[in-house]
Amino acid sequence: MISTRVIATAGCVPEQVVTNDDLSKIVDTTDEWITQRTGIKERHISSGENTSALVIRVAEKLLERAGVEAEKIDLIIVASVTQDYGTPSLACMIQKEIGAVNAVAFDVIAACSGFMFALSTADKYIKAGGYKNAIVIGGETLSKIVDWTDRSTCVLFGDGAGGAYVEASDEAGIIRENIGSAGAQYEILTEGYTECANAFNENKGGVHPLWYVNMNGREVFKFATKKVIKSLEKVMAEENLTQEDIKYFVPHQANVRIVEVVSKKLDIPFEKFYMNMDRFGNTSSASIPMALNEINEKGLLERGNLVMLSGFGGGMTWGTMLIRW
Ligand code: COA
């Protein structure tokens, strides 16, 4: 049976680092509050590069690391909520830049679960046959949709991109997934609203207040813990696994307290959760592939290890994936 294996990973962030102390100069906050409530110490914020610049760099690294020629790429899928344009998709912009002339390229939107949805889609294309490989990337410049006067949200996010090159294989790769959506709750986390203003109505257009990230933090916290716990439990149960069989859990890097709850509730040692939100903040769809890439770059995974990725986000959405390395 055909499986989808992760062959290479890559990540990239803009150079500029913004610390909690830097933020305390523009909004009424402190390093102590941000660290205690979220575990975040600093984040990378774009000095002007748009999302395309970040995802293109990740795609170039993936080609180099996988040793694959661009013309051989069958599929490019990018997850983002901060694309440069409405159209073209970021995936098409990557296609142009790397010269992947034979690829089918498109974007998906599932906010912070975006990479999980994109990887799941690539997996289905590959398993259906006809597509032998895919570049899958999550990338964001959330800094452009954050209200920098709102202390309750602007301290949480960062910019970055991460991705994986995956290939059809006879050996096990992506083993099982659990992804889902709870659209009924979409209002607890929104961004990017544009109203319908035109020449024949009264709407004014321009930047709507709901353009910026708007979040009910407590409700999102509740949603995240509930869904991630259930989703991890389900995937482990369906594969007859316990936490001992898993080398690393790679959670969406939103908040260390969410991870603490999941760790406690499922009795998974906290050290098994790989975390880097202290250095990057919440980079939405980029957070899981950026963390996976760090693990990979550090050589922490051996062939055959089991890794569990799990994210949640706007929509509301969630996604968990069990991968054999
Ligand atoms: N600095 C200092 N004080 C702040 C602050 C900041 N950056 N942001 C909010 N506060 C204040 C609030 O104004 C409030 O003050 P009040 O009690 O005087 O009204 C107080 O801190 C508590 O705010 P609250 O929103 O209740 O805090 P919280 O404990 O729920 O933590 C979050 C806020 C956002 C960190 C938390 O709800 C959370 O992590 N939610 C999940 C968010 C998430 O994961 N989002 C990503 C989705 S992909």
Side-chain angles (χ1 to χ4, degrees), residues 90-135:
L90 288 165
C92 282
M93 294 175 84
I94 290 175
Q95 178 182 33
K96 173 182 186 227
E97 231 29 68
I98 66 174
V101 290
N102 296 308
V104 170
F106 59 92
D107 290 359
V108 300
I109 295 178
C112 303
S113 318
F115 182 75
M116 308 311 299
F117 279 59
L119 192 54
S120 168
T121 307
D123 183 44
K124 306 300 172 296
Y125 268 78
I126 286 172
K127 282 182 178 147
Y131 294 81
K132 294 256 170 296
N133 62 39
I135 283 177

Side-chain angles (χ1 to χ4, degrees), residues 51 72 77 82 87 90 100 114 123 140 152 210 240 265 273 275-276 280 319 321:
T51 309
K72 297 266 164 65
I77 308 181
T82 50
T87 189
L90 288 165
D123 183 44
E140 310 283 1
S152 70
L210 288 177
N240 265 321
K265 190 84 199 207
F273 290 88
M275 278 176 289
N276 61 13
F280 300 111
M321 207 171 256

Side-chain angles (χ1 to χ4, degrees), residues 29 33 37 112 151-152 215 217-218 252 254-255 257 282:
T29 191
W33 193 96
R37 291 296 219 291
C112 303
R151 68 176 182 174
S152 70
M215 181 173 73
R218 296 213 165 169
H252 170 43
N255 185 319
R257 289 191 302 144
N282 178 350

Side-chain angles (χ1 to χ4, degrees), residues 55-322:
V55 296
I56 287 166
R57 236 180 291 154
V58 169
E60 287 167 346
K61 278 193 202 177
L62 288 173
L63 285 183
E64 194 187 309
R65 290 178 181 185
V68 179
E69 289 162 28
E71 303 89 70
K72 297 266 164 65
I73 299 296
D74 291 337
L75 196 57
I76 304 172
I77 308 181
V78 177
S80 183
V81 291
T82 50
Q83 300 92 329
D84 296 18
Y85 295 93
T87 189
S89 63
L90 288 165
C92 282
M93 294 175 84
I94 290 175
Q95 178 182 33
K96 173 182 186 227
E97 231 29 68
I98 66 174
V101 290
N102 296 308
V104 170
F106 59 92
D107 290 359
V108 300
I109 295 178
C112 303
S113 318
F115 182 75
M116 308 311 299
F117 279 59
L119 192 54
S120 168
T121 307
D123 183 44
K124 306 300 172 296
Y125 268 78
I126 286 172
K127 282 182 178 147
Y131 294 81
K132 294 256 170 296
N133 62 39
I135 283 177
V136 184
I137 295 175
E140 310 283 1
T141 43
L142 294 163
S143 58
K144 69 184 182 186
I145 48 122
V146 156
D147 176 355
W148 288 101
T149 64
D150 174 12
R151 68 176 182 174
S152 70
T153 52
C154 77
V155 303
L156 303 175
F157 300 99
D159 299 334
Y165 167 78
V166 297
E167 243 176 36
S169 170
D170 295 333
E171 295 170 61
I174 295 172
I175 295 175
R176 189 172 286 278
E177 69 174 30
N178 170 257
I179 65 171
S181 312
Q185 282 178 273
Y186 83 82
E187 278 158 322
I188 64 175
L189 176 51
T190 63
E191 66 82 19
Y193 181 75
T194 49
E195 69 179 349
C196 179
N198 60 45
F200 298 94
N201 71 23
E202 301 295 316
N203 291 341
K204 291 194 197 70
V207 177
H208 191 276
L210 288 177
W211 167 258
Y212 299 108
V213 175
N214 193 280
M215 181 173 73
N216 181 333
R218 296 213 165 169
E219 287 304 315
V220 173
F221 196 100
K222 273 195 252 166
F223 175 87
T225 47
K226 200 168 119 197
K227 290 299 181 191
V228 170
I229 288 167
K230 270 202 167 160
S231 188
L232 285 173
E233 267 178 340
K234 189 166 192 303
V235 172
M236 284 196 282
E238 284 170 352
E239 287 296 321
N240 265 321
L241 298 171
T242 70
Q243 59 83 14
E244 282 165 22
D245 301 307
I246 316 284
K247 177 82 182 191
Y248 282 107
F249 290 82
V250 185
H252 170 43
Q253 307 287 313
N255 185 319
V256 75
R257 289 191 302 144
I258 292 175
V259 180
E260 279 165 3
V261 172
V262 175
S263 155
K264 230 184 221 160
K265 190 84 199 207
L266 293 180
D267 211 9
I268 302 171
F270 190 60
E271 316 76 68
K272 275 202 163 182
F273 290 88
Y274 187 86
M275 278 176 289
N276 61 13
M277 76 261 291
D278 57 327
R279 286 172 288 127
F280 300 111
N282 178 350
T283 55
S284 191
S285 66
S287 95
I288 290 177
M290 275 171 56
L292 183 65
N293 178 56
E294 269 198 9
I295 296 176
N296 193 18
E297 283 184 348
K298 286 180 182 169
L300 299 175
L301 285 171
E302 282 169 27
R303 191 79 188 260
N305 283 162
L306 288 175
V307 194
M308 189 83 95
L309 316 179
S310 191
F312 62 90
M316 298 299 286
T317 55
W318 72 91
T320 293
M321 207 171 256
L322 175 69

